[in-house]
Amino acid sequence: MTTPPTPTPTPTPAPRWRALTQHHLFWPVAVLVVLLLINVPFTPGFFSIKMTDGHLYGSLVSIVLFGSPLILVAVGMTLVIATGGIDLSVGAVVAITGALTCSYISDQADQDSLAGVFLAMGIGLVAAVVCGLWNGFLVARMGIQPIIATLIIMVAGRGVAQLITDGQIITINSEPYKLIGGGYWLTLPFSIFVVAAVVAITVALTRRTALGLLVESVGGNAEASRLVGIRSTRIKIMVYVFCALCAGIAGLMISSNTSAADGNNAGLWIELDAILAVVIGGTSLLGGRFSIGGTVVGALVIQTLTTTIYTIGVPTQTNLVFKAAVVIVVCLLQSPKFRTKVFGGRFGSGSGAKGGGASAGTPADTAQSTAAAPKMEVS
């Protein structure tokens, strides 16, 4: 009499809340919500948005408005980091772009001329692209480490920006140029539409085409990518150019919002905030898989944190320490090992966020399944 086989137990699906907490955007979004709520006791009506003179105003609108340059720089930084690189020159590129653009506009007899404004913006963005080509050439062609290659423009570029402005702050009075970073369109700040367009185009190119997969493959293993026919050199140059272009657009926004170009302070340390935003968004500094949506959330976390620091009255001398502490907390919460040690199995590594499934079986179960599996014999 043959004994019927023992039915294999059906894996128990992970609870929805556990799968939710294991999503790579859960903790950044949770921290963003907490930071927003912290502002409520200090700023009555923090979440209120009002219409004045046909424009929407409010703390939430201001966070997105002032965070727009950081979002742009962080999106470009995401693709660079995805290839296993880093770009420390974005702050200097911001300064160079703003300095060239404002310098050209200030020399015009009619600063409201659309042709002059567009030409000035084109000159600034071309300079940004040249900086990106230089970084990509040093990294991809010359084989210089990214942190060293981009450090060159980080140091020298800031000096170039001050040479363009003669060490002075160039002020302009151009209404068309003011629109980019300080104007409104359809009741919202125009910079929000610029950021939305750049993010949408980036997502479309990296997720709707093979470009995103190529970037991830180069970041995962550049040599293996080259051996299978992927031109990793071109991919690296392309992402550095794109990162510099995003920094150039951010430079236009910053100088437009203030109607001035400050070669010394424009974009100062924005490269560090951009790197933090990328890390908070879940992209590994080792390269490989990346998340544009996570980077946008990370940039909003950084900007909201900056707003919160000023709202609750943190002393200026300690605001960087406060910011670093919050970033450390976010990064620790994203670590499955840390969550397992602190919260146990409730927020541990578990089954993952992609559909859930049973956790790894015990050694006995593994041995039993191995014994039951068919064996292959080679004659």
Side-chain angles (χ1 to χ4, degrees):
M1 182 176 181
T2 305
T3 304
T6 304
T8 304
T10 303
T12 303
R16 290 185 177 181
W17 62 267
R18 179 174 295 180
L20 180 64
T21 58
Q22 291 167 1
H23 193 278
H24 73 280
L25 288 182
F26 175 79
W27 293 108
V29 171
V31 171
L32 177 60
V33 172
V34 170
L35 289 174
L36 292 173
L37 293 176
I38 290 176
N39 288 272
V40 175
F42 300 93
T43 306
F46 180 79
F47 289 100
S48 63
I49 298 177
K50 59 182 179 179
M51 180 79 72
T52 304
D53 297 331
H55 302 155
L56 291 177
Y57 291 94
S59 299
L60 297 180
V61 177
S62 297
I63 288 175
V64 180
L65 171 62
F66 293 116
S68 294
L70 177 58
I71 294 175
L72 285 175
V73 176
V75 167
M77 186 74 73
T78 301
L79 297 186
V80 171
I81 291 178
T83 60
I86 202 77
D87 192 346
L88 300 180
S89 68
V90 288
V93 173
V94 166
I96 291 174
T97 305
L100 280 173
T101 304
C102 290
S103 177
Y104 186 87
I105 294 177
S106 66
D107 292 336
Q108 301 301 304
D110 182 12
Q111 296 188 8
D112 291 333
S113 171
L114 286 178
V117 170
F118 280 122
L119 181 57
M121 292 168 53
I123 293 173
L125 293 180
V126 167
V129 170
V130 170
C131 292
L133 284 171
W134 173 255
N135 289 333
F137 171 77
L138 293 181
V139 173
R141 291 290 185 184
M142 304 304 295
I144 301 176
Q145 292 183 355
I147 193 171
I148 302 300
T150 58
L151 187 64
I152 296 173
I153 293 185
M154 177 185 178
V155 177
R158 185 71 59 177
V160 171
Q162 295 189 59
L163 287 175
I164 295 172
T165 61
D166 291 329
Q168 305 295 321
I169 297 178
I170 299 178
T171 58
I172 59 175
N173 186 18
S174 174
E175 287 300 323
Y177 188 63
K178 182 73 175 178
L179 174 66
I180 302 173
Y184 286 79
W185 187 54
L186 299 178
T187 73
L188 289 174
F190 185 76
S191 60
I192 295 179
F193 295 98
V194 176
V195 170
V198 172
V199 171
I201 293 173
T202 305
V203 171
L205 291 177
T206 57
R207 297 309 181 196
R208 298 299 180 182
T209 68
L211 181 60
L213 183 61
L214 296 178
V215 170
E216 291 179 348
S217 64
V218 171
N221 193 322
E223 181 62 19
S225 301
R226 185 188 65 82
L227 293 176
V228 299
I230 298 176
R231 297 179 177 179
S232 57
T233 299
R234 292 187 179 182
I235 296 294
K236 288 183 178 181
I237 294 177
M238 180 191 64
V239 297
Y240 279 98
V241 170
F242 177 75
C243 183
L245 182 61
C246 289
I249 299 175
L252 297 180
M253 280 187 182
I254 294 174
S255 60
S256 169
N257 191 28
T258 59
S259 293
D262 186 352
N264 185 41
N265 296 313
L268 190 63
W269 308 126
I270 195 173
E271 58 271 3
L272 301 184
D273 284 344
I275 295 172
L276 289 177
V278 174
V279 173
I280 290 174
T283 300
S284 173
L285 290 177
L286 298 177
R289 301 190 63 180
F290 62 91
S291 171
I292 299 297
T295 294
V296 173
V297 174
L300 292 176
V301 168
I302 296 296
Q303 183 58 45
T304 305
L305 177 58
T306 302
T307 302
T308 304
I309 288 174
Y310 293 112
T311 299
I312 65 181
V314 175
T316 307
Q317 298 83 353
T318 60
N319 58 3
L320 292 179
V321 177
F322 184 82
K323 180 185 291 188
V326 174
V327 170
I328 290 174
V329 171
V330 176
C331 293
L332 288 177
L333 289 175
Q334 288 180 299
S335 171
K337 292 184 179 179
F338 176 82
R339 296 200 304 267
T340 301
K341 291 182 179 180
V342 175
F343 303 108
R346 291 174 294 176
F347 299 102
S349 55
S351 57
K354 292 188 177 182
S359 57
T362 61
D365 296 335
T366 304
Q368 183 177 359
S369 62
T370 303
K375 297 182 179 180
M376 179 181 295
E377 296 182 358
V378 181
S379 56

